[in-house]
Amino acid sequence: MTAMTARRGRRQGGSAARRAAVAGAAIVHHPEIRRGIPLMEVTNQEGVELIHDFAMRVVEQIGCDFQDDESLDYWRRTGAEIDGERVRIGRDELMQLIGTIPSSYVHHARNPERTVRVGDGHAVVSPSYGAPFVRDMNGVRRYATLEDLNNLQKLNHMASTVHIAGGTIVEPVDIPVPHRHLHMAYSGLRYSDKPIIGNVTARERAEDTVEMMKIVFGEEFAVNNTCTTSLINANSPLVWDETMLDALKVYAVNNQAVMCSPFSMAAASTPASNVGTVGVVLAEALMAMAMTQIIRPGAPMLFGVPAMTVALNSGAPVHGSPDSAMVQFLSNAMSRYYKLPHRGILNVATSKSGDMQAAYDSMWGLFPSMLSGADWLTMGGGMLEGALTVGYGKTMIDFEQLDAFYHFLQGPKFDDLEEIFEIVKRVGPGGHFLGEQHTLDSKLFIFESQHNNSYEQWDADGRLESEAVGVRKAQKWLRKYEAPEIDEALDEALTDYIARRSLEIPAN
Amino acid sequence: MTAMTARRGRRQGGSAARRAAVAGAAIVHHPEIRRGIPLMEVTNQEGVELIHDFAMRVVEQIGCDFQDDESLDYWRRTGAEIDGERVRIGRDELMQLIGTIPSSYVHHARNPERTVRVGDGHAVVSPSYGAPFVRDMNGVRRYATLEDLNNLQKLNHMASTVHIAGGTIVEPVDIPVPHRHLHMAYSGLRYSDKPIIGNVTARERAEDTVEMMKIVFGEEFAVNNTCTTSLINANSPLVWDETMLDALKVYAVNNQAVMCSPFSMAAASTPASNVGTVGVVLAEALMAMAMTQIIRPGAPMLFGVPAMTVALNSGAPVHGSPDSAMVQFLSNAMSRYYKLPHRGILNVATSKSGDMQAAYDSMWGLFPSMLSGADWLTMGGGMLEGALTVGYGKTMIDFEQLDAFYHFLQGPKFDDLEEIFEIVKRVGPGGHFLGEQHTLDSKLFIFESQHNNSYEQWDADGRLESEAVGVRKAQKWLRKYEAPEIDEALDEALTDYIARRSLEIPAN
């Protein structure tokens, strides 16, 4: 029954999406980012091999703790040395296990037109993640609600350079924790038709996510393709806890992708060194990723690092710094060395509001992740306060930065050079290009929310700063938002499932 | 007499600087930026050669107007084809002329400890430039005064990653235009001891700048070394006016460096194409630079492009966009092709205030200029409103970004890897690195003005946004500023010169 419903839903995705596209004609959905410029490097082959050797010495000599019996049982199928929870493994066997992880995978959306490839030169952007607070339209910081999550799903759905729906764009704190995952998955499926991010906070919650994917895609399809990508964090240094391992196992066995992303905080959970940080987190991530290949060889997995730095003056983990940028570049180089898709972090500010520092912080994530060639770019927009808060205003301003990088990464355009030479000849010294058809047809990038008119005009327009401009844009987008079509039977099947599970699972 | 005074001043520079360094012990002056990471490229050799060929076809077939008889006389010494003001030249002869421009040069400061090399892997940062307005400590936008210029000289002098004094950091609008250049040169020499930027707004003003350098360095030294670097703009497309050419000639004949930097506004003064823009401005810049080598072979010259884009919706030139970034990368690649030092633009915002967009705009200048390997980085901090205004608050926040890039460009550190491995082994899974001596000794970068403590603490601290934090920092720095020592006789010679010239030159 459920599977049949799902198949109907999936078959109708294409035409539904086309209808939606006509209804919301203003929305442009960019395909995956394909770069027209070379990758940027911060080190050479020798540096990469030094880090590899460091990580291999960690897995061989120090090892990693797996706080979960089932995981240890998996390791017993290998030549790994197991001592209590501690697992050590030789580099050759580790590399062999890692070798079955695909260098790219297809992540299916309920609307096939939004299905994306991740890796092998295809990069995708996903929304903000995991914040319990919003900075709302009035500039008030408060707990996020399901309404906020749905609003942010809508805004991310409409953003040209966001390829993925949530996930926990914000935590809907008004929903009891044990039921939250059901509503988060539904929010992504209902208010967007882009691929979704899975739940990881308990084994059953991961299982519910997989069940909901079976409803959408049909059982056979859902467990033999990739319909969710999820994010798990190690407790660095070198510890994987039962909760994270449970989610990882559920997803791996069902062929769902997982970003294995140690929670690195240089100077606290990893060494006070960018190279050392990458070496340690690589060891722990590679071991988790290897374990998934014991469970299901070929299950898609991604390597990534949050790359925070702990400020020794306050003890706070700080996002967005030259050191976090260096870790992003280095971890990406290592991903390429192992031919693994890489998860980068785009856009997390330490600032409490959408001020100048917020944008600077964000840019220290955007440029390394965009330029190093990361394949999955999390935290597309809006994150403040070190990922504790999502700001509506910042979300909208950040979206324009994503579009700008999308434009930049296309690279320089050479194909109209002959035409341009003829124009320069005709215009001649002292002329101008404003009226040329080539100019009118050009697509040079201008930030929509940038006030590029005179100071006097800005004054007359109310002296709005960009966070306020972003809030107005969010309000405008929410007014014009149109939900992507969804098959009624599919919607009913999903809401039925949520209703049933909400009765089965105690709310506290 | 003057020359003798100057020599005394120069000889005493070293010990004076040492005394100053002790007095203002908190100031760290970074040496030139030397990069520990590879250059970033946006195109390949084929792309570079396509642009070269385009530029060569422009100089050969279209040519450039030189609106100055003396310049045309210089061109008559070559095989150039001259038709009225229009000059066309063959690519081989142009390349031969360009070939005598040094790939780097030493720019002398009155304090030899602040003398820098520019080019050949040594990059320097100079302050904001040319703004008639300030956004003052109270957030009021008003005309800049000499006091503002002096204040900003002081702040730039104290900035670790600013290597150069002004120049017209802001225009001292309270000084009559015909006298302004004297006070601008003096401001840089008196309130800083870093190398200075020259005046270009009339032949006599450039000559006065050279005369003041003779006072500082002695006549013989001043005209056989490089003691100023100046900035001239072409009237793109393909026109050099008499004023700019006059300044260029004065500086070239005296071996002073000049940035030949066409005033490019893509879609208006250059084609609506990044590649086409670089092709056109390259043609005009190379012709001006070639002319300097007829005058004095070996005179140091730099190529650069402001790289604005005209917003077709408002007609306004916009700084800081993915297209301006592309132009920065491409123009840098061309500079390297011709072995010419390259001038990049760091930090110009289109925003009217120090808001989120201001930082985003700035970062679209910072990252291409810093990563492409530009040798002279203008507009170090503070520019708003498309270079019309310098903000005190933004200046200070921007300085921290400069320090961050200085840190980043050092590249990854591998030399403590063995020590780190031993620490990881000792700390082990589940431990932490906070108390380790290696951590305490580490120099991971934290932004000083970034509030990285809790939201509650930020609230208790008055909810300051970063522009306000920057203003407070400016006030603090100005309170603790100590002028670098200057020989009294030198100071007197300079003020005497200014007094004499102010009587000679009518104020209006």
Side-chain angles (χ1 to χ4, degrees):
Chain A
M1 263 286 281
T2 348
M4 275 173 60
T5 317
R7 280 206 200 85
R8 261 207 317 283
R10 187 158 62 85
R11 268 201 307 277
Q12 295 183 358
S15 56
R18 274 187 292 277
R19 283 195 301 277
V22 172
I27 306 180
V28 175
H29 295 289
H30 287 155
E32 303 95 322
I33 300 170
R34 314 283 322 257
R35 44 195 303 136
I37 64 170
L39 291 166
M40 188 186 145
E41 306 277 4
V42 296
T43 188
N44 54 19
Q45 189 64 18
E46 190 192 340
V48 166
E49 279 167 12
L50 277 169
I51 298 174
H52 168 64
D53 183 63
F54 182 98
M56 293 304 104
R57 287 164 67 199
V58 172
V59 299
E60 288 174 339
Q61 296 176 39
I62 303 173
C64 190
D65 284 0
F66 284 79
Q67 300 178 332
D68 167 54
D69 288 337
E70 198 181 9
S71 295
L72 294 170
D73 285 341
Y74 282 119
W75 282 115
R76 286 194 185 92
R77 299 187 195 170
T78 71
E81 180 192 322
I82 298 160
D83 178 10
E85 295 174 337
R86 183 74 46 90
V87 181
R88 296 184 183 84
I89 187 166
R91 63 182 73 193
D92 292 343
E93 189 168 16
L94 183 70
M95 286 298 105
Q96 206 179 330
L97 286 166
I98 290 296
T100 55
I101 298 173
S103 58
S104 72
Y105 66 98
V106 173
H107 185 154
H108 291 273
R110 72 173 174 87
N111 173 358
E113 293 181 24
R114 304 274 168 272
T115 290
V116 290
R117 178 170 289 280
V118 180
D120 286 336
H122 298 67
V124 299
V125 173
S126 66
S128 61
Y129 188 87
F133 300 104
V134 289
R135 184 168 162 89
D136 70 14
M137 305 272 196
N138 303 312
V140 175
R141 184 236 204 202
R142 56 166 175 76
Y143 279 108
T145 64
L146 184 58
E147 192 188 347
D148 291 310
L149 174 60
N150 293 342
N151 280 340
L152 289 161
Q153 290 284 11
K154 293 173 188 177
L155 296 174
N156 276 279
H157 174 69
M158 295 169 83
S160 299
T161 314
V162 176
H163 303 89
I164 307 292
T168 163
I169 301 179
V170 288
E171 286 277 343
V173 176
D174 54 341
I175 307 290
V177 171
H179 296 170
R180 211 175 271 175
H181 64 289
L182 300 165
H183 296 273
M184 291 197 292
Y186 180 75
S187 177
L189 290 166
R190 184 67 191 87
Y191 298 104
S192 181
D193 58 0
K194 297 174 179 178
I196 76 157
I197 291 182
N199 294 291
V200 295
T201 49
R203 175 191 289 266
E204 312 74 48
R205 296 172 195 163
E207 285 168 347
D208 274 329
T209 307
V210 173
E211 287 307 311
M212 290 172 80
M213 291 303 104
K214 290 178 184 171
I215 295 172
V216 176
F217 292 93
E219 180 151 1
E220 180 67 16
F221 188 92
V223 301
N224 288 304
N225 292 278
T226 301
C227 308
T228 60
T229 299
S230 301
L231 173 61
I232 65 163
N233 299 125
N235 301 326
S236 302
L238 301 165
V239 177
W240 288 98
D241 69 31
E242 193 174 0
T243 303
M244 290 286 123
L245 289 171
D246 274 351
L248 180 63
K249 289 177 294 182
V250 169
Y251 287 122
V253 81
N254 288 295
N255 202 51
Q256 302 305 299
V258 181
M259 309 180 218
C260 296
S261 195
F263 204 70
S264 76
M265 299 185 291
S269 74
T270 63
S273 151
N274 301 323
V275 170
T277 290
V278 175
V280 169
V281 298
L282 202 49
E284 57 204 41
L286 289 175
M287 288 194 73
M289 293 167 85
M291 191 189 81
T292 65
Q293 304 302 299
I294 311 170
I295 300 172
R296 182 164 178 164
M301 296 288 145
L302 304 93
F303 167 59
V305 197
M308 287 165 277
T309 303
V310 168
L312 295 178
N313 63 344
S314 66
V318 169
H319 283 271
S321 81
D323 293 304
S324 70
M326 192 57 74
V327 170
Q328 288 295 334
F329 278 110
L330 291 171
S331 58
N332 187 275
M334 298 315 298
S335 275
R336 279 181 277 134
Y337 181 72
Y338 300 117
K339 299 187 173 55
L340 296 171
H342 183 247
R343 172 250 182 153
I345 290 194
L346 287 178
N347 207 328
V348 180
T350 296
S351 277
K352 313 302 180 280
S353 70
D355 63 358
M356 192 159 32
Q357 188 71 42
Y360 274 137
D361 293 352
S362 295
M363 210 57 156
W364 281 100
L366 276 157
F367 94 72
S369 293
M370 288 288 188
L371 300 184
S372 65
D375 306 290
W376 184 297
L377 302 147
T378 56
M379 316 290 189
M383 303 221 81
L384 293 165
E385 208 190 316
L388 286 177
T389 293
V390 170
Y392 278 94
K394 183 167 190 292
T395 293
M396 302 307 292
I397 299 298
D398 290 352
F399 285 164
E400 297 183 21
Q401 293 297 316
L402 299 175
D403 293 340
F405 272 100
Y406 185 89
H407 181 87
F408 178 78
L409 291 170
Q410 309 298 308
K413 189 170 178 283
F414 285 93
D415 59 7
D416 53 353
L417 213 46
E418 281 314 304
E419 184 190 352
I420 291 170
F421 186 78
E422 292 308 317
I423 297 169
V424 173
K425 209 163 168 178
R426 193 172 62 246
V427 167
H432 71 79
F433 297 82
L434 279 168
E436 298 292 326
Q437 194 57 46
H438 179 272
T439 301
L440 301 174
D441 293 343
S442 71
K443 296 203 165 55
L444 295 181
F445 191 94
I446 298 293
F447 290 101
E448 191 185 319
S449 294
Q450 180 189 56
H451 196 292
N452 57 40
N453 213 310
S454 68
Y455 186 89
E456 290 69 23
Q457 189 61 50
W458 181 68
D459 196 44
D461 290 346
R463 305 171 67 93
L464 288 186
E465 297 207 328
S466 55
E467 192 176 19
V469 174
V471 165
R472 290 191 182 196
K473 190 171 178 181
Q475 287 162 335
K476 188 175 143 197
W477 277 29
L478 288 176
R479 280 195 301 272
K480 74 174 185 181
Y481 167 81
E482 295 184 45
E485 286 204 20
I486 190 164
D487 185 86
E488 263 179 49
L490 169 59
D491 194 26
E492 211 179 288
L494 288 168
T495 49
D496 285 355
Y497 183 82
I498 293 168
R500 177 166 68 79
R501 290 292 290 149
S502 296
L503 289 176
E504 288 169 9
I505 309 168
N508 46 44
Chain B
M1 262 286 281
T2 348
M4 275 175 60
T5 316
R7 281 207 199 85
R8 265 209 314 282
R10 188 159 62 85
R11 270 202 306 277
Q12 295 185 359
S15 56
R18 275 188 291 278
R19 284 194 302 276
V22 172
I27 305 180
V28 176
H29 294 288
H30 286 155
E32 303 95 322
I33 300 170
R34 313 285 320 259
R35 45 194 303 138
I37 64 170
L39 291 167
M40 187 187 145
E41 305 277 3
V42 295
T43 188
N44 54 18
Q45 189 64 17
E46 191 193 340
V48 166
E49 280 168 13
L50 276 170
I51 297 173
H52 169 64
D53 184 62
F54 183 98
M56 293 304 105
R57 286 164 66 199
V58 173
V59 300
E60 288 174 337
Q61 296 175 40
I62 303 172
C64 189
D65 284 359
F66 284 78
Q67 301 177 332
D68 167 55
D69 289 338
E70 198 182 9
S71 295
L72 293 170
D73 284 342
Y74 282 120
W75 282 116
R76 287 195 183 91
R77 300 186 195 170
T78 70
E81 180 193 323
I82 298 160
D83 178 10
E85 294 174 337
R86 182 73 47 87
V87 181
R88 296 184 182 85
I89 187 168
R91 64 182 71 195
D92 292 344
E93 188 168 16
L94 182 71
M95 286 298 104
Q96 205 178 331
L97 285 167
I98 291 296
T100 55
I101 298 172
S103 58
S104 72
Y105 66 98
V106 173
H107 185 155
H108 292 272
R110 71 174 173 87
N111 173 359
E113 293 181 25
R114 304 274 168 272
T115 290
V116 290
R117 177 170 291 280
V118 181
D120 287 336
H122 298 67
V124 299
V125 173
S126 66
S128 61
Y129 188 87
F133 300 105
V134 290
R135 185 167 159 92
D136 71 13
M137 305 272 197
N138 302 311
V140 176
R141 184 241 207 196
R142 56 167 175 75
Y143 279 109
T145 63
L146 184 59
E147 191 188 348
D148 291 310
L149 174 60
N150 293 342
N151 279 340
L152 289 162
Q153 290 284 10
K154 293 173 187 177
L155 296 173
N156 276 279
H157 174 68
M158 296 169 82
S160 299
T161 314
V162 176
H163 303 90
I164 308 292
T168 163
I169 301 180
V170 286
E171 285 278 342
V173 176
D174 53 340
I175 307 291
V177 170
H179 296 169
R180 210 176 271 176
H181 64 289
L182 300 164
H183 295 275
M184 292 198 290
Y186 180 74
S187 178
L189 290 165
R190 184 66 192 88
Y191 298 104
S192 182
D193 58 1
K194 297 174 180 177
I196 76 157
I197 292 182
N199 293 291
V200 295
T201 49
R203 175 191 289 265
E204 312 73 48
R205 296 174 196 161
E207 285 168 348
D208 274 330
T209 307
V210 173
E211 288 307 310
M212 289 172 80
M213 292 302 104
K214 290 178 185 172
I215 295 172
V216 175
F217 292 94
E219 181 153 0
E220 179 67 16
F221 188 91
V223 300
N224 289 305
N225 292 279
T226 301
C227 308
T228 59
T229 299
S230 302
L231 172 62
I232 64 163
N233 298 126
N235 301 326
S236 301
L238 302 165
V239 177
W240 288 97
D241 69 32
E242 191 173 1
T243 303
M244 290 286 123
L245 289 170
D246 274 350
L248 180 63
K249 288 177 294 182
V250 169
Y251 286 123
V253 80
N254 288 295
N255 201 50
Q256 303 305 299
V258 180
M259 309 179 218
C260 296
S261 196
F263 203 69
S264 77
M265 299 185 291
S269 73
T270 63
S273 150
N274 301 322
V275 170
T277 290
V278 175
V280 170
V281 299
L282 202 49
E284 57 203 40
L286 289 176
M287 287 194 75
M289 295 168 84
M291 191 189 80
T292 65
Q293 304 302 298
I294 310 169
I295 301 172
R296 182 164 177 164
M301 296 289 144
L302 304 93
F303 167 59
V305 197
M308 288 165 277
T309 303
V310 169
L312 294 180
N313 63 343
S314 67
V318 169
H319 283 271
S321 81
D323 293 304
S324 69
M326 192 57 73
V327 170
Q328 288 295 334
F329 277 110
L330 290 172
S331 59
N332 187 274
M334 297 315 298
S335 275
R336 279 181 277 134
Y337 181 73
Y338 300 117
K339 299 187 172 55
L340 297 170
H342 184 249
R343 172 250 181 154
I345 290 193
L346 287 177
N347 207 328
V348 181
T350 296
S351 277
K352 312 302 180 281
S353 70
D355 64 357
M356 192 160 29
Q357 188 72 42
Y360 274 137
D361 293 352
S362 295
M363 210 56 155
W364 280 101
L366 276 157
F367 93 73
S369 293
M370 287 287 189
L371 299 184
S372 65
D375 306 289
W376 184 297
L377 302 145
T378 56
M379 316 289 188
M383 303 221 81
L384 292 165
E385 208 190 318
L388 286 178
T389 294
V390 169
Y392 277 94
K394 184 168 192 290
T395 294
M396 303 307 292
I397 299 298
D398 290 352
F399 284 165
E400 297 183 22
Q401 294 297 316
L402 299 175
D403 293 341
F405 272 100
Y406 185 88
H407 181 87
F408 178 78
L409 291 169
Q410 309 300 304
K413 190 169 178 282
F414 285 93
D415 59 6
D416 53 354
L417 213 45
E418 280 314 304
E419 183 189 354
I420 292 170
F421 186 78
E422 291 308 317
I423 297 169
V424 174
K425 209 164 167 176
R426 191 171 64 245
V427 166
H432 71 77
F433 297 83
L434 279 167
E436 298 292 325
Q437 194 58 44
H438 179 271
T439 301
L440 301 174
D441 294 341
S442 71
K443 295 201 164 55
L444 295 181
F445 191 94
I446 298 294
F447 289 101
E448 190 186 319
S449 294
Q450 181 188 57
H451 196 292
N452 58 40
N453 213 311
S454 67
Y455 186 89
E456 290 68 23
Q457 189 62 49
W458 181 68
D459 196 44
D461 290 347
R463 306 169 67 93
L464 288 186
E465 298 207 327
S466 55
E467 191 175 20
V469 174
V471 165
R472 289 192 182 194
K473 191 171 178 182
Q475 288 162 334
K476 189 174 144 197
W477 277 29
L478 288 175
R479 280 195 302 272
K480 75 174 185 182
Y481 168 80
E482 296 185 44
E485 287 205 19
I486 190 164
D487 186 85
E488 262 180 49
L490 169 60
D491 193 26
E492 212 177 289
L494 288 169
T495 48
D496 285 356
Y497 183 82
I498 294 168
R500 177 166 67 79
R501 291 291 289 149
S502 296
L503 290 175
E504 287 169 7
I505 309 168
N508 46 44

